[in-house]
Amino acid sequence: MKYIIYAYLLTMLLLTSCKSNTKSIITNTNKDITYWGRVDTTTDKTDLHWSGTSIKLNFEGTDIEALLQDEKGENYYNIIVDNDSAKLLRLDTTKRYYTLASNLKKGKHTVELFKRTEWDKGKTSFFGFKLNKQGKILPKDAPKARKIEFYGNSITAGYAVEDFTGKDRPDSTYTNNYLSYAALTARHFNAEYRAICKSGIGVTVSWFPIIMPELYNRLDPNNENSVWDFSLYQPDVVVVNLFQNDSWIVNMPKNEEFKVRFGNKKPEDDFFITAYQNFITSLRKEYPKAKIICALGAMDATKENSKWMSFISKAVTKLADKNVYTHFMPYKNTPGHPSINEQKEMAKSLIAFIDKNIDW
């Protein structure tokens, strides 16, 4: 009889032990996961391409992991725990769980994965979260009252913002969209944030074969047939910060992209004015109620006597739209891309403009 009792007690102990180690799996389609950015959640995974796309979960528990797989192993993420950027995460190409936080105090927590890097580093596939030690998912936050979207180039992407050597190195380690003027502005206003950006891109010509008017409406930036549904996100404010790359390439007739876009002759000024006007018209068609800020800065396209600011001003005048504005951020007058402090100054300038001119 005592052996039966012993076996029973041993079985109960094992069952209790298994129960205490039970791990709660939350799939990527769970309604309490918050996604920001152009992501697709209709399959068994969620693909992240664009800078600044993010995944957020509210939960109770001491540990949390995420099941992820990176296409190239070149993407970096900020792990933001309880609204504090806790650490940097680099993914590899193996589908596996990554520990986002551990040994947290018991109680309520938030975790967010924020994509620092650009879409040329490949996509990241997210499959879900795993909570340990009796953790449980909590309802997601109420939607933010404000929405803001940016269209831009390397400046908006936060390219080389953490390269403190001043060498403007292209390694994705140094790119951090979280520290860009765009993300800083969005956080200042507690606005839902999106960025459609790519280093080197222009309105009429880029350092590579695609330009923003050919890219702006994509869900997957690498797939011309992947069309974004603009009805899913209607921003209150749209900021366009483009022309920096055009301003360089247009003076480089031997550049291959110059030849493709312009042939053997630099276009007249009206060409650029019309191209910019047409792009803003395309955005207005998708966002009939948005306030659109046609910005430029803070590299040498905004230095004194630059004609690129006048191109934008003339395009906006032709649009005759009272909800389209211009704002030029002061020329930083230093080498390379904007540093962290220079990005902060850009954000300060944009925030002041929005506060003064836009009621949202």
Side-chain angles (χ1 to χ4, degrees):
M1 181 69 180
K2 65 180 180 179
Y3 294 108
I4 296 174
I5 295 173
Y6 175 77
Y8 173 77
L9 291 174
L10 180 61
T11 300
M12 293 302 295
L13 180 62
L14 288 171
L15 289 173
T16 302
S17 176
C18 290
K19 184 178 180 180
S20 66
N21 290 319
T22 298
K23 298 177 180 180
S24 177
I25 305 298
I26 300 114
T27 64
N28 68 303
T29 56
N30 190 289
K31 64 180 179 61
D32 284 314
I33 296 175
T34 298
Y35 293 106
W36 284 352
R38 293 184 181 180
V39 299
D40 185 358
T41 60
T42 59
T43 66
D44 63 345
K45 60 186 176 67
T46 299
D47 289 334
L48 285 76
H49 300 273
W50 298 97
S51 303
T53 46
S54 67
I55 309 164
K56 185 176 181 181
L57 184 74
N58 298 329
F59 68 100
E60 283 187 3
T62 58
D63 302 78
I64 186 166
E65 300 171 75
L67 184 58
L68 300 159
Q69 184 174 22
D70 203 57
E71 183 178 10
K72 297 181 180 180
E74 297 179 8
N75 276 307
Y76 288 82
Y77 285 78
N78 286 343
I79 302 174
I80 303 165
V81 178
D82 298 335
N83 298 314
D84 181 32
S85 188
K87 61 182 180 180
L88 176 66
L89 175 66
R90 181 175 184 173
L91 306 180
D92 58 43
T93 57
T94 304
K95 180 182 176 181
R96 66 181 180 90
Y97 278 101
Y98 292 82
T99 299
L100 306 183
S102 59
N103 299 316
L104 298 172
K105 292 181 179 180
K106 291 183 178 180
K108 298 179 179 179
H109 298 284
T110 65
V111 66
E112 181 180 355
L113 273 171
F114 183 100
K115 191 175 187 294
R116 297 161 52 111
T117 38
E118 300 186 57
W119 53 260
D120 62 328
K121 304 304 177 185
K123 68 180 179 181
T124 299
S125 295
F126 167 73
F127 297 88
F129 289 110
K130 181 165 63 176
L131 296 175
N132 297 339
K133 299 183 179 179
Q134 292 79 47
K136 69 176 183 178
I137 190 170
L138 298 176
K140 64 182 178 182
D141 299 334
K144 292 183 180 293
R146 292 166 167 169
K147 296 183 177 69
I148 190 167
E149 184 168 63
F150 292 78
Y151 290 83
N153 47 46
S154 55
I155 302 170
T156 302
Y159 176 90
V161 70
E162 290 190 335
D163 183 359
F164 303 114
T165 68
K167 295 181 180 179
D168 223 24
R169 288 174 287 184
D171 191 313
S172 56
T173 309
Y174 308 112
T175 293
N176 187 354
N177 183 258
Y178 193 77
L179 298 178
S180 70
Y181 78 94
L184 292 171
T185 300
R187 290 198 296 277
H188 172 85
F189 288 111
N190 191 29
E192 184 177 339
Y193 166 64
R194 298 196 176 187
I196 308 305
C197 57
K198 177 68 182 73
S199 292
I201 203 163
V203 178
T204 63
V205 64
S206 306
W207 295 98
F208 41 80
I210 195 168
I211 55 177
M212 185 59 81
E214 298 165 352
L215 180 75
Y216 79 102
N217 62 346
R218 294 186 185 182
L219 170 57
D220 177 351
N222 290 295
N223 182 357
E224 65 181 25
N225 297 315
S226 178
V227 180
W228 171 247
D229 181 357
F230 283 93
S231 70
L232 297 175
Y233 183 78
Q234 287 287 305
D236 304 294
V237 174
V238 175
V239 180
V240 178
N241 187 0
L242 293 165
F243 260 168
Q244 176 63 40
N245 292 300
D246 307 67
S247 73
W248 275 67
I249 304 171
V250 73
N251 295 312
M252 303 171 67
K254 293 183 180 180
N255 179 278
E256 289 303 314
E257 295 306 322
F258 179 104
K259 295 175 184 177
V260 170
R261 297 291 176 177
F262 309 137
N264 58 9
K265 183 180 178 182
K266 178 180 176 178
E268 299 294 331
D269 291 355
D270 283 347
F271 173 85
F272 299 103
I273 296 167
T274 300
Y276 193 93
Q277 179 183 349
N278 289 342
F279 178 58
I280 301 304
T281 299
S282 296
L283 291 178
R284 170 57 76 214
K285 180 180 177 182
E286 304 297 349
Y287 301 137
K289 297 180 180 180
K291 312 288 188 180
I292 301 176
I293 302 173
C294 297
L296 190 62
M299 295 176 71
D300 59 6
T302 54
K303 67 183 179 181
E304 189 176 0
N305 298 321
S306 168
K307 62 183 180 181
W308 296 92
M309 292 180 287
S310 69
F311 290 169
I312 293 173
S313 295
K314 290 175 181 178
V316 170
T317 298
K318 288 187 173 184
L319 287 165
D321 185 331
K322 66 179 182 179
N323 288 318
V324 177
Y325 309 77
T326 59
H327 176 61
F328 306 127
M329 291 167 272
Y331 173 41
K332 67 188 186 70
N333 199 21
T334 57
H337 283 77
S339 65
I340 292 175
N341 287 334
E342 288 167 341
Q343 290 277 6
K344 289 179 179 178
E345 286 301 311
M346 291 175 66
K348 183 179 178 181
S349 173
L350 182 57
I351 289 165
F353 178 84
I354 292 173
D355 279 337
K356 182 179 178 179
N357 295 282
I358 295 178
D359 181 14
W360 62 323

